[in-house]
Amino acid sequence: MKIKVCAGARCTMLGSDIIYNRLSEFVDDFNNRLYEGEIEIPDFDLELTMTTCTDECKKDKKNAPVVIVDNKVFRNAKTQEIMEYILDTAFEPKFN
């Protein structure tokens, strides 16, 4: 799962750097638990990056800060909302 946090000026002014720092701790902890076998989810890994401006807030200033998780765009993003989405996605039942 790829998580991209916008590092554009408007998003940064509205807290994307704080979201990135909190998600960084969350991702590190989650990945460590995966690798240590505490959590068993086949083919699941979290990758967190800062990205250049996504242009979402140019469409509407109220969109900032923006976080994109596997092409799902979170506008006016909140850290808890992103974490809940990641956990829900990670642990949702997989049907073959």
Coordinates of all heavy atoms in Angstrom, one line a residue:
M1 N 0.9 -1.2 0.0 CA 0.0 0.0 0.0 C 0.9 1.2 0.0 O 1.8 1.4 0.8 CB -0.9 0.0 1.2 CG -1.8 1.2 1.4 SD -3.0 1.0 2.7 CE -4.2 0.0 2.0
K2 N 0.7 2.1 -1.0 CA 1.5 3.3 -1.1 C 0.7 4.5 -0.5 O -0.4 4.8 -0.9 CB 1.9 3.6 -2.5 CG 2.8 2.5 -3.1 CD 3.1 2.8 -4.5 CE 3.9 1.7 -5.2 NZ 5.2 1.5 -4.8
I3 N 1.4 5.2 0.4 CA 0.8 6.4 1.0 C 1.6 7.6 0.6 O 2.8 7.6 0.8 CB 0.8 6.3 2.5 CG1 0.1 4.9 3.0 CG2 0.1 7.4 3.2 CD1 0.5 4.5 4.3
K4 N 1.0 8.6 0.0 CA 1.7 9.8 -0.4 C 1.1 11.0 0.3 O -0.1 11.2 0.2 CB 1.5 10.0 -2.0 CG 2.1 8.8 -2.8 CD 1.9 9.0 -4.2 CE 2.3 7.8 -5.0 NZ 2.0 8.0 -6.5
V5 N 1.9 11.7 0.9 CA 1.5 12.9 1.6 C 2.0 14.1 0.9 O 3.2 14.2 0.6 CB 2.0 13.0 3.1 CG1 1.6 14.2 3.8 CG2 1.6 11.7 3.9
C6 N 1.1 15.0 0.5 CA 1.4 16.2 -0.3 C 2.3 17.1 0.5 O 2.1 17.5 1.7 CB 0.2 16.9 -0.7 SG 0.6 18.4 -1.8
A7 N 3.4 17.6 -0.2 CA 4.3 18.5 0.5 C 4.3 19.9 -0.2 O 5.2 20.7 -0.1 CB 5.8 18.0 0.4
G8 N 3.1 20.2 -0.9 CA 2.9 21.5 -1.4 C 2.8 22.5 -0.3 O 2.5 22.2 0.8
A9 N 3.0 23.8 -0.7 CA 3.0 24.9 0.3 C 1.7 24.9 1.1 O 1.8 25.0 2.3 CB 3.2 26.2 -0.4
R10 N 0.6 24.9 0.4 CA -0.7 25.0 1.2 C -0.9 23.8 2.1 O -1.3 23.9 3.2 CB -1.9 25.1 0.2 CG -3.2 25.3 0.9 CD -4.3 25.6 0.0 NE -4.2 27.0 -0.5 CZ -4.1 27.4 -1.8 NH1 -4.1 26.5 -2.7 NH2 -4.0 28.7 -2.1
C11 N -0.6 22.6 1.6 CA -0.8 21.4 2.4 C 0.1 21.4 3.6 O -0.3 21.1 4.7 CB -0.6 20.1 1.6 SG -1.9 19.8 0.4
T12 N 1.4 21.9 3.4 CA 2.3 21.9 4.5 C 1.9 22.9 5.5 O 2.0 22.7 6.7 CB 3.7 22.3 4.0 OG1 4.1 21.2 3.0 CG2 4.8 22.3 5.1
M13 N 1.4 24.1 5.1 CA 0.9 25.1 6.0 C -0.2 24.6 6.9 O -0.4 25.0 8.0 CB 0.5 26.4 5.3 CG 1.7 27.2 4.8 SD 1.3 28.8 3.9 CE -0.4 28.9 3.9
L14 N -1.0 23.7 6.3 CA -2.2 23.2 7.0 C -1.9 21.8 7.7 O -2.9 21.1 8.0 CB -3.4 23.1 6.0 CG -3.9 24.5 5.6 CD1 -4.9 24.4 4.5 CD2 -4.4 25.3 6.8
G15 N -0.7 21.4 7.8 CA -0.4 20.3 8.6 C 0.1 19.0 8.0 O 0.1 18.0 8.6
S16 N 0.4 19.0 6.7 CA 0.7 17.7 6.1 C 2.0 17.2 6.6 O 2.2 15.9 6.7 CB 0.8 17.8 4.5 OG 1.9 18.7 4.2
D17 N 2.9 18.0 7.1 CA 4.2 17.6 7.7 C 3.9 16.9 9.0 O 4.5 15.8 9.3 CB 5.2 18.7 7.9 CG 4.6 19.9 8.7 OD1 3.4 20.1 8.7 OD2 5.4 20.6 9.3
I18 N 2.9 17.3 9.8 CA 2.5 16.7 11.0 C 1.9 15.3 10.7 O 2.2 14.3 11.4 CB 1.6 17.6 11.8 CG1 2.3 18.8 12.3 CG2 1.0 16.8 13.0 CD1 1.4 19.9 12.8
I19 N 1.0 15.3 9.7 CA 0.4 14.0 9.3 C 1.5 13.0 8.9 O 1.5 11.9 9.3 CB -0.6 14.2 8.1 CG1 -1.8 15.0 8.6 CG2 -1.0 12.9 7.5 CD1 -2.8 15.5 7.5
Y20 N 2.5 13.5 8.1 CA 3.6 12.6 7.6 C 4.3 12.0 8.8 O 4.6 10.8 8.9 CB 4.5 13.4 6.7 CG 5.7 12.5 6.3 CD1 5.5 11.7 5.2 CD2 6.9 12.5 7.0 CE1 6.6 10.9 4.8 CE2 7.9 11.7 6.6 CZ 7.8 10.9 5.5 OH 8.8 10.1 5.1
N21 N 4.7 12.9 9.8 CA 5.4 12.4 11.0 C 4.7 11.4 11.8 O 5.2 10.3 12.2 CB 5.8 13.6 11.9 CG 6.9 14.5 11.3 OD1 7.6 14.0 10.4 ND2 6.9 15.7 11.7
R22 N 3.4 11.6 12.0 CA 2.6 10.6 12.7 C 2.4 9.3 11.9 O 2.4 8.2 12.5 CB 1.2 11.2 13.1 CG 1.3 12.3 14.1 CD 0.0 12.9 14.4 NE 0.1 13.9 15.5 CZ -0.8 14.9 15.7 NH1 -1.9 14.9 15.0 NH2 -0.6 15.8 16.6
L23 N 2.1 9.5 10.6 CA 2.0 8.3 9.8 C 3.3 7.5 9.7 O 3.3 6.3 9.6 CB 1.5 8.6 8.4 CG 0.1 9.0 8.3 CD1 -0.3 9.4 6.8 CD2 -0.9 7.9 8.7
S24 N 4.4 8.2 9.7 CA 5.7 7.5 9.7 C 5.9 6.6 10.9 O 6.4 5.5 10.7 CB 6.9 8.6 9.7 OG 8.1 8.0 9.6
E25 N 5.6 7.1 12.1 CA 5.6 6.2 13.3 C 4.7 5.0 13.1 O 5.0 3.9 13.5 CB 5.3 7.0 14.5 CG 6.3 8.1 14.9 CD 5.9 9.0 16.0 OE1 4.8 8.6 16.7 OE2 6.5 10.0 16.2
F26 N 3.5 5.3 12.7 CA 2.5 4.2 12.5 C 3.0 3.2 11.5 O 2.9 2.0 11.7 CB 1.2 4.9 12.0 CG 0.1 3.9 11.6 CD1 -0.7 3.3 12.6 CD2 -0.1 3.6 10.3 CE1 -1.7 2.4 12.2 CE2 -1.1 2.7 9.9 CZ -1.9 2.1 10.9
V27 N 3.5 3.6 10.3 CA 3.9 2.7 9.3 C 5.1 1.9 9.8 O 5.2 0.7 9.6 CB 4.3 3.5 8.0 CG1 5.1 2.7 7.0 CG2 3.1 4.1 7.3
D28 N 6.1 2.5 10.5 CA 7.2 1.8 11.0 C 6.8 0.7 12.0 O 7.2 -0.4 11.9 CB 8.2 2.7 11.7 CG 9.0 3.6 10.7 OD1 9.0 3.3 9.5 OD2 9.6 4.6 11.2
D29 N 5.9 1.1 12.9 CA 5.4 0.1 13.9 C 4.6 -1.0 13.2 O 4.8 -2.2 13.5 CB 4.5 0.8 14.9 CG 4.0 -0.2 16.0 OD1 4.9 -0.8 16.6 OD2 2.8 -0.3 16.2
F30 N 3.8 -0.7 12.2 CA 3.0 -1.7 11.5 C 3.9 -2.7 10.7 O 3.7 -3.9 10.8 CB 2.0 -1.0 10.5 CG 1.0 -1.9 10.0 CD1 -0.3 -2.1 10.6 CD2 1.2 -2.6 8.8 CE1 -1.2 -3.0 10.1 CE2 0.2 -3.5 8.3 CZ -1.0 -3.6 8.9
N31 N 4.8 -2.1 10.0 CA 5.7 -2.9 9.2 C 6.6 -3.8 10.1 O 6.9 -5.0 9.8 CB 6.6 -2.1 8.3 CG 5.8 -1.6 7.1 OD1 4.8 -2.2 6.7 ND2 6.3 -0.5 6.5
N32 N 7.1 -3.3 11.2 CA 7.9 -4.1 12.2 C 7.0 -5.3 12.7 O 7.6 -6.4 12.8 CB 8.3 -3.2 13.3 CG 9.5 -2.3 13.0 OD1 10.2 -2.6 12.0 ND2 9.7 -1.3 13.7
R33 N 5.8 -5.0 13.0 CA 4.9 -6.1 13.5 C 4.7 -7.2 12.4 O 4.6 -8.4 12.6 CB 3.6 -5.6 14.0 CG 3.8 -4.8 15.3 CD 2.5 -4.1 15.7 NE 2.7 -3.3 16.8 CZ 2.2 -3.6 18.0 NH1 1.5 -4.7 18.2 NH2 2.4 -2.8 19.0
L34 N 4.6 -6.7 11.1 CA 4.4 -7.6 10.0 C 5.7 -8.5 9.9 O 5.6 -9.7 9.8 CB 4.3 -6.9 8.7 CG 2.9 -6.4 8.3 CD1 2.9 -5.6 7.0 CD2 2.0 -7.6 8.1
Y35 N 6.9 -7.9 9.9 CA 8.1 -8.6 9.7 C 8.4 -9.5 10.8 O 9.0 -10.6 10.7 CB 9.3 -7.6 9.4 CG 9.1 -6.8 8.2 CD1 9.3 -5.5 8.1 CD2 8.7 -7.5 7.0 CE1 9.1 -4.7 7.0 CE2 8.6 -6.7 5.8 CZ 8.8 -5.4 5.8 OH 8.6 -4.7 4.7
E36 N 8.0 -9.2 12.0 CA 8.3 -10.0 13.2 C 7.2 -11.1 13.4 O 7.3 -11.9 14.3 CB 8.3 -9.1 14.5 CG 9.5 -8.2 14.5 CD 9.5 -7.2 15.6 OE1 8.6 -7.2 16.4 OE2 10.4 -6.4 15.6
G37 N 6.2 -11.1 12.5 CA 5.2 -12.1 12.6 C 4.1 -11.9 13.6 O 3.2 -12.8 13.8
E38 N 4.0 -10.7 14.2 CA 2.9 -10.4 15.1 C 1.6 -10.3 14.4 O 0.6 -10.5 14.9 CB 3.2 -9.2 15.9 CG 4.4 -9.3 16.9 CD 4.6 -8.0 17.7 OE1 3.7 -7.3 18.0 OE2 5.8 -7.7 17.9
I39 N 1.7 -9.8 13.1 CA 0.6 -9.6 12.3 C 0.8 -10.4 11.0 O 1.9 -10.4 10.5 CB 0.4 -8.1 11.9 CG1 0.3 -7.2 13.1 CG2 -0.8 -7.9 10.9 CD1 0.3 -5.7 12.8
E40 N -0.2 -11.2 10.6 CA 0.0 -12.0 9.4 C -1.0 -11.5 8.3 O -2.2 -11.8 8.4 CB -0.2 -13.5 9.8 CG 0.8 -14.0 10.7 CD 0.7 -15.5 10.9 OE1 0.1 -16.2 10.1 OE2 1.2 -16.0 11.9
I41 N -0.4 -10.8 7.4 CA -1.2 -10.4 6.2 C -0.3 -10.6 5.0 O 0.7 -9.9 4.8 CB -1.5 -8.9 6.3 CG1 -2.3 -8.5 7.6 CG2 -2.4 -8.5 5.1 CD1 -2.5 -7.1 7.8
P42 N -0.6 -11.6 4.2 CA 0.3 -11.9 3.1 C 0.3 -10.8 2.1 O -0.7 -10.1 1.8 CB -0.4 -13.2 2.5 CG -1.3 -13.7 3.5 CD -1.7 -12.6 4.4
D43 N 1.4 -10.6 1.5 CA 1.6 -9.6 0.4 C 1.1 -8.2 0.8 O 0.5 -7.5 0.0 CB 0.9 -10.0 -0.9 CG 1.4 -11.4 -1.3 OD1 2.6 -11.6 -1.2 OD2 0.6 -12.2 -1.8
F44 N 1.4 -7.8 2.0 CA 1.0 -6.5 2.5 C 2.2 -5.7 3.0 O 2.9 -6.2 3.9 CB -0.1 -6.5 3.5 CG -0.8 -5.2 3.8 CD1 -1.9 -4.8 3.0 CD2 -0.4 -4.4 4.8 CE1 -2.5 -3.6 3.2 CE2 -1.0 -3.2 5.0 CZ -2.1 -2.8 4.2
D45 N 2.3 -4.5 2.6 CA 3.4 -3.7 3.1 C 3.0 -2.2 2.9 O 2.3 -1.9 2.0 CB 4.7 -4.0 2.3 CG 5.9 -3.3 2.9 OD1 6.0 -3.2 4.1 OD2 6.9 -3.0 2.1
L46 N 3.5 -1.4 3.8 CA 3.1 0.0 3.7 C 4.4 0.8 3.3 O 5.5 0.6 3.8 CB 2.7 0.5 5.1 CG 1.4 -0.1 5.7 CD1 1.1 0.5 7.1 CD2 0.2 0.2 4.8
E47 N 4.2 1.7 2.4 CA 5.2 2.6 1.9 C 4.8 4.0 2.0 O 3.7 4.4 1.4 CB 5.6 2.2 0.5 CG 6.7 3.1 -0.1 CD 6.9 2.7 -1.6 OE1 6.8 1.5 -2.0 OE2 7.1 3.6 -2.4
L48 N 5.5 4.8 2.7 CA 5.1 6.2 3.0 C 6.1 7.2 2.3 O 7.3 7.0 2.5 CB 5.0 6.5 4.5 CG 4.7 7.9 4.9 CD1 3.3 8.3 4.5 CD2 4.9 8.1 6.4
T49 N 5.6 8.1 1.5 CA 6.5 9.1 0.9 C 5.8 10.5 0.9 O 4.6 10.6 1.0 CB 6.8 8.8 -0.6 OG1 5.5 8.7 -1.3 CG2 7.5 7.5 -0.7
M50 N 6.6 11.5 0.9 CA 6.2 12.9 0.6 C 6.2 13.1 -0.9 O 7.1 12.6 -1.5 CB 7.1 13.9 1.3 CG 7.0 13.9 2.8 SD 5.5 14.5 3.5 CE 5.7 16.3 3.4
T51 N 5.2 13.8 -1.4 CA 5.1 14.0 -2.8 C 5.0 15.5 -3.1 O 4.6 16.2 -2.3 CB 4.0 13.2 -3.4 OG1 4.0 13.2 -4.9 CG2 2.6 13.6 -2.9
T52 N 5.4 15.8 -4.3 CA 5.2 17.2 -4.7 C 3.7 17.5 -4.8 O 2.9 16.6 -4.7 CB 5.9 17.5 -6.1 OG1 5.3 16.6 -7.1 CG2 7.4 17.3 -6.0
C53 N 3.4 18.7 -5.0 CA 2.0 19.2 -5.0 C 1.1 18.3 -5.9 O 1.5 17.9 -7.1 CB 1.9 20.6 -5.5 SG 0.2 21.3 -5.5
T54 N 0.0 17.9 -5.4 CA -0.9 17.0 -6.2 C -1.9 17.8 -7.0 O -2.8 17.2 -7.7 CB -1.7 16.0 -5.2 OG1 -2.5 16.9 -4.3 CG2 -0.7 15.2 -4.4
D55 N -1.9 19.1 -6.8 CA -2.9 20.0 -7.5 C -4.3 19.9 -7.0 O -5.2 20.5 -7.5 CB -2.9 19.8 -9.0 CG -1.6 20.3 -9.7 OD1 -1.0 21.2 -9.1 OD2 -1.2 19.8 -10.7
E56 N -4.6 19.1 -6.0 CA -5.9 18.9 -5.4 C -6.4 20.2 -4.8 O -7.5 20.6 -4.9 CB -6.0 17.8 -4.4 CG -6.0 16.4 -5.0 CD -7.2 16.1 -5.8 OE1 -8.3 16.5 -5.5 OE2 -7.0 15.5 -6.9
C57 N -5.5 20.9 -4.1 CA -5.9 22.1 -3.4 C -6.0 23.3 -4.4 O -6.6 24.3 -4.0 CB -5.0 22.5 -2.2 SG -3.3 22.7 -2.6
K58 N -5.5 23.1 -5.6 CA -5.7 24.2 -6.6 C -7.1 24.1 -7.1 O -7.6 25.1 -7.6 CB -4.6 24.0 -7.7 CG -3.2 24.4 -7.3 CD -2.2 24.2 -8.4 CE -0.9 24.5 -7.9 NZ 0.2 24.2 -8.8
K59 N -7.7 22.9 -7.1 CA -9.1 22.8 -7.5 C -10.0 23.5 -6.5 O -11.0 24.1 -6.8 CB -9.5 21.3 -7.6 CG -8.7 20.6 -8.7 CD -9.0 19.1 -8.6 CE -8.1 18.3 -9.5 NZ -8.3 16.9 -9.4
D60 N -9.6 23.3 -5.2 CA -10.4 23.9 -4.1 C -9.5 24.1 -2.9 O -9.0 23.1 -2.4 CB -11.6 23.1 -3.7 CG -12.5 23.7 -2.7 OD1 -12.2 24.6 -2.0 OD2 -13.7 23.2 -2.6
K61 N -9.4 25.3 -2.4 CA -8.4 25.5 -1.3 C -8.8 24.7 0.0 O -8.0 24.5 0.8 CB -8.4 27.0 -0.9 CG -7.8 27.8 -2.0 CD -7.8 29.3 -1.7 CE -7.3 30.1 -2.9 NZ -7.3 31.5 -2.6
K62 N -10.1 24.3 0.1 CA -10.5 23.6 1.3 C -10.0 22.1 1.2 O -10.2 21.4 2.2 CB -12.0 23.6 1.4 CG -12.6 25.0 1.6 CD -14.1 25.0 1.6 CE -14.6 26.4 1.7 NZ -16.1 26.5 1.5
N63 N -9.4 21.7 0.2 CA -9.0 20.3 0.0 C -7.7 20.0 0.9 O -7.4 18.9 1.2 CB -8.7 19.9 -1.4 CG -9.9 19.8 -2.2 OD1 -11.0 19.7 -1.7 ND2 -9.8 19.8 -3.5
A64 N -6.9 21.0 1.2 CA -5.6 20.8 1.9 C -5.9 20.5 3.3 O -6.8 21.0 3.9 CB -4.8 22.0 1.7
P65 N -5.0 19.6 3.9 CA -3.9 18.9 3.3 C -4.5 17.6 2.6 O -5.5 17.1 2.9 CB -3.1 18.5 4.5 CG -4.0 18.4 5.7 CD -5.1 19.5 5.4
V66 N -3.7 17.1 1.7 CA -4.1 16.0 0.8 C -3.2 14.8 1.1 O -1.9 15.0 1.1 CB -4.0 16.4 -0.7 CG1 -4.3 15.2 -1.6 CG2 -5.0 17.6 -1.0
V67 N -3.8 13.7 1.2 CA -3.0 12.4 1.3 C -3.7 11.4 0.3 O -4.9 11.3 0.2 CB -3.1 11.8 2.8 CG1 -2.4 10.5 2.8 CG2 -2.5 12.8 3.8
I68 N -2.8 10.7 -0.4 CA -3.3 9.7 -1.3 C -2.8 8.3 -0.9 O -1.6 8.1 -0.7 CB -2.8 10.0 -2.8 CG1 -3.2 11.4 -3.2 CG2 -3.3 9.0 -3.8 CD1 -2.6 11.9 -4.5
V69 N -3.8 7.4 -0.8 CA -3.5 6.0 -0.4 C -4.0 5.1 -1.5 O -5.2 5.0 -1.7 CB -4.2 5.7 1.0 CG1 -3.8 4.2 1.4 CG2 -3.8 6.6 2.1
D70 N -3.0 4.5 -2.2 CA -3.3 3.7 -3.3 C -4.4 4.3 -4.2 O -5.4 3.7 -4.5 CB -3.8 2.3 -2.9 CG -2.6 1.4 -2.5 OD1 -1.5 1.8 -2.8 OD2 -2.9 0.3 -1.9
N71 N -4.2 5.5 -4.7 CA -5.1 6.2 -5.6 C -6.4 6.7 -5.0 O -7.2 7.3 -5.7 CB -5.4 5.4 -6.9 CG -4.1 5.1 -7.6 OD1 -3.2 5.9 -7.8 ND2 -4.0 3.9 -8.1
K72 N -6.6 6.5 -3.7 CA -7.8 7.0 -3.0 C -7.3 8.4 -2.4 O -6.4 8.4 -1.6 CB -8.3 6.1 -1.9 CG -9.5 6.7 -1.2 CD -10.1 5.7 -0.2 CE -11.2 6.3 0.7 NZ -12.3 6.8 0.0
V73 N -8.0 9.4 -2.8 CA -7.6 10.8 -2.4 C -8.3 11.2 -1.1 O -9.6 11.1 -1.1 CB -7.8 11.8 -3.5 CG1 -7.4 13.2 -3.1 CG2 -7.1 11.4 -4.8
F74 N -7.6 11.6 -0.1 CA -8.2 12.1 1.1 C -7.9 13.6 1.1 O -6.8 14.1 1.2 CB -7.5 11.5 2.4 CG -7.9 10.0 2.5 CD1 -7.1 9.0 1.9 CD2 -9.0 9.7 3.3 CE1 -7.5 7.7 2.1 CE2 -9.3 8.3 3.5 CZ -8.5 7.3 2.9
R75 N -9.0 14.3 1.0 CA -8.9 15.8 1.0 C -9.2 16.3 2.5 O -10.0 15.7 3.2 CB -9.9 16.4 0.1 CG -9.6 16.0 -1.4 CD -10.8 16.3 -2.3 NE -10.5 15.9 -3.7 CZ -10.8 14.7 -4.1 NH1 -11.4 13.8 -3.4 NH2 -10.4 14.4 -5.4
N76 N -8.6 17.4 2.9 CA -8.7 17.9 4.2 C -8.4 16.7 5.2 O -9.2 16.4 6.1 CB -10.1 18.5 4.5 CG -10.2 19.3 5.7 OD1 -9.2 19.7 6.3 ND2 -11.4 19.5 6.2
A77 N -7.3 16.0 4.9 CA -7.0 14.8 5.6 C -6.7 14.9 7.1 O -6.2 15.9 7.5 CB -5.8 14.2 4.9
K78 N -7.1 13.9 7.8 CA -6.8 13.8 9.2 C -6.0 12.5 9.4 O -6.4 11.4 8.8 CB -8.1 13.7 10.0 CG -9.1 14.9 9.7 CD -8.6 16.2 10.4 CE -9.6 17.3 10.2 NZ -9.4 18.2 9.2
T79 N -5.1 12.5 10.3 CA -4.2 11.3 10.6 C -5.0 10.1 10.9 O -4.8 9.0 10.4 CB -3.2 11.6 11.7 OG1 -2.5 12.8 11.3 CG2 -2.2 10.5 11.8
Q80 N -6.0 10.3 11.9 CA -6.7 9.1 12.3 C -7.6 8.5 11.2 O -7.7 7.3 11.1 CB -7.7 9.5 13.5 CG -8.4 8.3 14.1 CD -9.1 8.7 15.3 OE1 -8.9 9.7 16.0 NE2 -10.1 7.8 15.7
E81 N -8.1 9.4 10.3 CA -8.9 8.9 9.2 C -8.0 8.0 8.3 O -8.5 6.9 7.8 CB -9.4 10.1 8.4 CG -10.1 9.8 7.1 CD -10.5 11.0 6.4 OE1 -9.7 12.0 6.4 OE2 -11.5 11.0 5.6
I82 N -6.8 8.4 8.1 CA -5.9 7.7 7.2 C -5.5 6.3 7.9 O -5.5 5.3 7.2 CB -4.6 8.5 6.9 CG1 -4.9 9.8 6.3 CG2 -3.6 7.7 6.0 CD1 -5.7 9.8 5.0
M83 N -5.2 6.4 9.2 CA -4.8 5.1 9.9 C -6.0 4.1 9.9 O -5.8 3.0 9.7 CB -4.5 5.5 11.3 CG -3.1 6.2 11.5 SD -2.8 6.5 13.2 CE -1.4 7.5 13.1
E84 N -7.2 4.6 10.1 CA -8.4 3.7 10.1 C -8.6 3.1 8.7 O -8.9 1.9 8.6 CB -9.6 4.5 10.5 CG -9.7 4.8 12.0 CD -10.9 5.7 12.4 OE1 -11.7 6.1 11.5 OE2 -10.9 6.1 13.6
Y85 N -8.4 3.9 7.7 CA -8.5 3.4 6.3 C -7.5 2.3 6.1 O -7.8 1.2 5.5 CB -8.4 4.5 5.3 CG -8.5 4.0 3.9 CD1 -9.7 3.6 3.3 CD2 -7.3 3.8 3.1 CE1 -9.7 3.1 2.0 CE2 -7.3 3.3 1.8 CZ -8.6 3.0 1.3 OH -8.6 2.5 0.0
I86 N -6.3 2.5 6.5 CA -5.2 1.5 6.3 C -5.5 0.2 7.0 O -5.4 -0.9 6.5 CB -3.8 2.1 6.8 CG1 -3.4 3.2 5.8 CG2 -2.8 1.0 6.8 CD1 -2.3 4.0 6.4
L87 N -5.9 0.3 8.3 CA -6.2 -0.8 9.1 C -7.5 -1.6 8.5 O -7.5 -2.8 8.4 CB -6.5 -0.5 10.5 CG -5.2 0.0 11.3 CD1 -5.6 0.5 12.7 CD2 -4.2 -1.1 11.4
D88 N -8.5 -0.8 8.1 CA -9.7 -1.5 7.6 C -9.3 -2.2 6.3 O -9.8 -3.4 6.1 CB -10.8 -0.4 7.2 CG -11.4 0.1 8.5 OD1 -11.3 -0.5 9.6 OD2 -12.2 1.1 8.4
T89 N -8.5 -1.6 5.5 CA -8.1 -2.3 4.2 C -7.2 -3.5 4.5 O -7.3 -4.5 3.8 CB -7.3 -1.3 3.3 OG1 -8.2 -0.1 3.1 CG2 -6.9 -1.9 2.0
A90 N -6.3 -3.3 5.4 CA -5.3 -4.4 5.7 C -6.0 -5.7 6.3 O -5.7 -6.8 5.9 CB -4.3 -4.0 6.8
F91 N -7.1 -5.5 7.1 CA -7.7 -6.6 7.8 C -9.1 -7.0 7.2 O -9.8 -7.8 7.7 CB -7.8 -6.3 9.2 CG -6.5 -6.2 9.9 CD1 -6.0 -5.0 10.3 CD2 -5.8 -7.4 10.2 CE1 -4.7 -4.9 10.9 CE2 -4.5 -7.3 10.8 CZ -4.0 -6.1 11.2
E92 N -9.4 -6.4 6.0 CA -10.7 -6.8 5.4 C -10.6 -8.2 4.9 O -9.5 -8.6 4.4 CB -11.2 -5.8 4.4 CG -10.4 -5.9 3.1 CD -10.8 -4.8 2.1 OE1 -11.6 -4.0 2.4 OE2 -10.3 -4.9 0.9
P93 N -11.6 -9.0 5.0 CA -11.6 -10.4 4.5 C -11.2 -10.4 3.0 O -11.8 -9.6 2.2 CB -13.0 -10.9 4.8 CG -13.6 -10.0 5.7 CD -12.9 -8.6 5.5
K94 N -10.4 -11.3 2.6 CA -10.0 -11.5 1.2 C -10.7 -12.7 0.7 O -10.6 -13.8 1.3 CB -8.5 -11.7 1.1 CG -7.6 -10.6 1.7 CD -7.6 -9.3 0.9 CE -6.6 -8.3 1.4 NZ -7.1 -7.3 2.1
F95 N -11.4 -12.6 -0.4 CA -12.1 -13.7 -1.0 C -11.4 -14.1 -2.3 O -11.1 -13.2 -3.1 CB -13.6 -13.3 -1.2 CG -14.3 -13.0 0.0 CD1 -14.6 -11.6 0.3 CD2 -14.7 -13.9 0.9 CE1 -15.3 -11.3 1.5 CE2 -15.4 -13.6 2.1 CZ -15.7 -12.3 2.3
N96 N -11.2 -15.4 -2.4 CA -10.5 -15.9 -3.7 C -11.5 -16.1 -4.7 O -12.6 -16.4 -4.7 CB -9.8 -17.1 -3.4 CG -8.6 -16.9 -2.4 OD1 -8.1 -15.7 -2.4 ND2 -8.1 -17.9 -1.8

